Amino acid sequence: MTRYQTGQYFAAAFGRPTPPRAKEDYKVSDTGRPPPNDLGERLAAARARQEARQSGGKSQGPTGLGTGMRIAVDLVAGIAVGVVIGLFLDRWLGTTPWLLVAFFVLGAAAGIRNVFRTASRFEEQARARAAEENGE
Amino acid sequence: MAGPLEQFEIHPIMPLSIGNLDISITNSTVYMAAAVAISAGFLAIGAGRAAMVPGRWQNMAELSYEFIANLIKETIGSDGRKYFPIIFTLFMFILFANLLGMIPFSFTVTSQIVVTFAMAAVVFVGVTVLAFAKHGTHFFSFFVPPGSPVWMWPLLIPIEVISYLSRPISLSVRLFANMLAGHTLLKVIAGFVFALNVFGILPLALLVALTGLEILIAFLQAYVFTILTCLYIKDALHLH
C-alpha cells in the first residue's frame, strides 16, 4: 500500500514540485500526445477483450414461451394464406370448394415449412452458442 | 370497473375529416407521435453532446446503435450497412411504442393489428422490390428449393410461394398477439386484486412479476421484428 503524504495533492495547486513518479505512469498521456508505438496494439487488445466480454454476456437462449409463440404463429400464418388464396380462387373460378381444399393442404405444408425453417435457425443458433462456449 | 379489453379501444381526440375520409386524431395517433418524438428525442440528447467520454444518455444511445449495428453485421453481413437507417428506425419505433404501452393508463400502439401489419407490409414490399432490383427475374429461383428434383417442382413451388406470402402475416401477428395477450392478462389479473379483498395481495405480487415479464417481452418482440427484417433483407440480397 502506498502511503500518501499530506500536501501531495495540493502540491500542484501551490506550485510546489510534485513527488517524482515511476516511469510507467508517464506512458499513458501525460505529454498530451499519444504514446508513439504501441497504441494500435493496445487498442486492438482492448477491443478483443471487450468483444469477448460482450459475446459472453449475450449467450442466453430465447425463452421457451417466445419460441413456442413464434413457431405457432409461423404455422397458422401458412394455413391462413393458403385458405385465403383458396377462397379467393374458388369465388373467382366458381370451383367451390375444391381449390380451398387443395390450398388448405398447400398452406399447411407451407406452415410446416415455416416451422421447419424457424426451428433449424434456432438449432443453428444453439449450435453456434455451444461452439462459442466450448471455445472459450 | 373497466373491462380488460377496454384499453384497446380507439377514441377520437380531435375529430377531423376530408370528405368521407375520417382522419381524426385518436389516442393511437397521439401515442404513435409520442413514440416517434421520444425515440427521436432520446437519440438527439444522446448524440447532441458527442463527448469522448460518454455520459449516461450518450451511452444508452450508443448502446442501442451498436446493438442494431452488430445485429446487422451478424445476420446480413457487411453489405447490410446500407439498410441500417430503416432497420434502426423500425426497432426504435417498436421498442418505444411497446415501452410506452407499459406506462399505466397508456395506450399500446403495437396491440393494433393495423399498425403492426402496416409495418410488416412495408418490410415485405420493400424486401420484394429490393430482391427484384438486385436479381431481376432471377429472383424467382428463390422459390425453387435447391437440390430438389424437377418433378417435385409443381408441388414445391406453390408451397414456397405461400410460405413467402405468409411472412408479413406471421411478422405482424407475432408482435400484435404478444402485446394483446400480455396487456389483457395484466388487466385480468389486476381485476382479481380488488375482487379478492385482503387476499388480493397474491394477484398483486403476480402482477408485479408479470409487469417485469411484459417489459422483457416489449424488448424481445422489438428485437424479433428487427432480426426477422434483417433475415428477409439477407434473403433478398443473397437469395438462398
Side-chain angles (χ1 to χ4, degrees):
Chain A
M1 252 190 79
T2 325
R3 286 200 56 189
Y4 295 102
Q5 294 163 346
T6 347
Q8 188 184 349
Y9 296 113
F10 298 103
F14 293 107
R16 268 189 273 157
T18 45
R21 286 201 260 170
K23 233 179 187 166
E24 302 88 76
D25 286 352
Y26 291 102
K27 235 182 173 176
V28 188
S29 71
D30 266 5
T31 51
R33 282 187 180 175
N37 292 323
D38 60 340
L39 182 67
E41 287 166 37
R42 282 167 56 189
L43 258 178
R47 286 222 177 97
R49 252 180 290 141
Q50 192 192 15
E51 207 133 282
R53 226 183 8 244
Q54 278 174 350
S55 59
K58 230 191 279 174
S59 63
Q60 81 248 105
T63 60
L65 184 73
T67 311
M69 192 92 177
R70 262 180 85 169
I71 285 181
V73 170
D74 275 342
L75 182 62
V76 172
I79 297 176
V81 170
V83 166
V84 167
I85 292 177
L87 282 174
F88 178 76
L89 285 181
D90 266 345
R91 188 166 297 174
W92 188 40
L93 302 171
T95 48
T96 316
W98 301 111
L99 286 178
L100 173 62
V101 173
F103 273 93
F104 177 83
V105 174
L106 284 177
I112 291 168
R113 181 89 180 89
N114 284 345
V115 169
F116 182 75
R117 205 178 277 135
T118 308
S120 56
R121 200 148 56 221
F122 280 133
E123 191 108 313
E124 216 167 84
Q125 281 171 1
R127 206 176 302 133
R129 256 199 305 279
E132 200 175 88
E133 268 160 30
N134 289 339
E136 278 175 12
Chain B
M1 205 176 72
L5 292 178
E6 258 169 57
Q7 56 175 324
F8 302 118
E9 275 172 16
I10 291 184
H11 317 283
I13 291 174
M14 214 170 91
L16 283 175
S17 60
I18 302 178
N20 286 330
L21 201 66
D22 185 10
I23 53 157
S24 305
I25 294 187
T26 63
N27 49 352
S28 180
T29 324
V30 170
Y31 277 96
M32 269 189 258
V36 171
I38 293 176
S39 55
F42 164 71
L43 291 170
I45 291 173
R49 240 179 3 131
M52 199 61 187
V53 179
R56 289 188 189 88
W57 288 103
Q58 193 185 339
N59 226 333
M60 288 203 293
E62 282 178 4
L63 199 71
S64 51
Y65 169 87
E66 262 173 36
F67 180 64
I68 298 300
N70 279 333
L71 189 70
I72 293 173
K73 204 167 67 189
E74 278 166 26
T75 49
I76 310 180
S78 55
D79 50 349
R81 283 265 159 208
K82 264 184 285 179
Y83 310 103
F84 178 84
I86 178 77
I87 295 170
F88 189 63
T89 309
L90 268 177
F91 175 74
M92 292 308 274
F93 178 72
I94 297 172
L95 180 63
F96 275 87
N98 288 351
L99 288 179
L100 270 179
M102 287 311 299
I103 298 171
F105 302 107
S106 71
F107 178 81
T108 319
V109 181
T110 42
S111 67
Q112 305 286 322
I113 186 81
V114 208
V115 175
T116 59
F117 189 76
M119 290 190 290
V122 166
V123 169
F124 178 74
V125 172
V127 160
T128 310
V129 168
L130 176 67
F132 267 113
K134 199 94 183 166
H135 301 283
T137 49
H138 187 62
F139 166 63
F140 290 111
S141 75
F142 181 68
F143 297 119
V144 182
S148 59
V150 178
W151 58 271
M152 286 284 280
W153 286 8
L155 189 63
L156 288 178
I157 291 174
I159 291 177
E160 287 293 322
V161 171
I162 293 175
S163 169
Y164 187 76
L165 291 177
S166 73
R167 277 174 171 188
I169 295 178
S170 62
L171 193 60
S172 56
V173 168
R174 191 175 296 120
L175 176 59
F176 146 78
N178 267 291
M179 288 299 132
L180 187 80
H183 283 264
T184 310
L185 186 67
L186 283 183
K187 297 298 186 289
V188 169
I189 305 270
F192 289 150
V193 175
F194 291 98
L196 292 178
N197 283 329
V198 187
F199 296 104
I201 191 87
L202 294 173
L204 187 65
L206 185 62
L207 203 60
V208 172
L210 279 177
T211 305
L213 182 72
E214 274 305 304
I215 291 174
L216 173 75
I217 287 177
F219 275 97
L220 203 68
Q221 286 307 316
Y223 171 72
V224 166
F225 198 100
T226 318
I227 199 169
L228 283 172
T229 305
C230 289
L231 286 172
Y232 294 162
I233 291 176
K234 183 190 138 208
D235 277 349
L237 289 178
H238 308 303
L239 295 185
H240 287 292

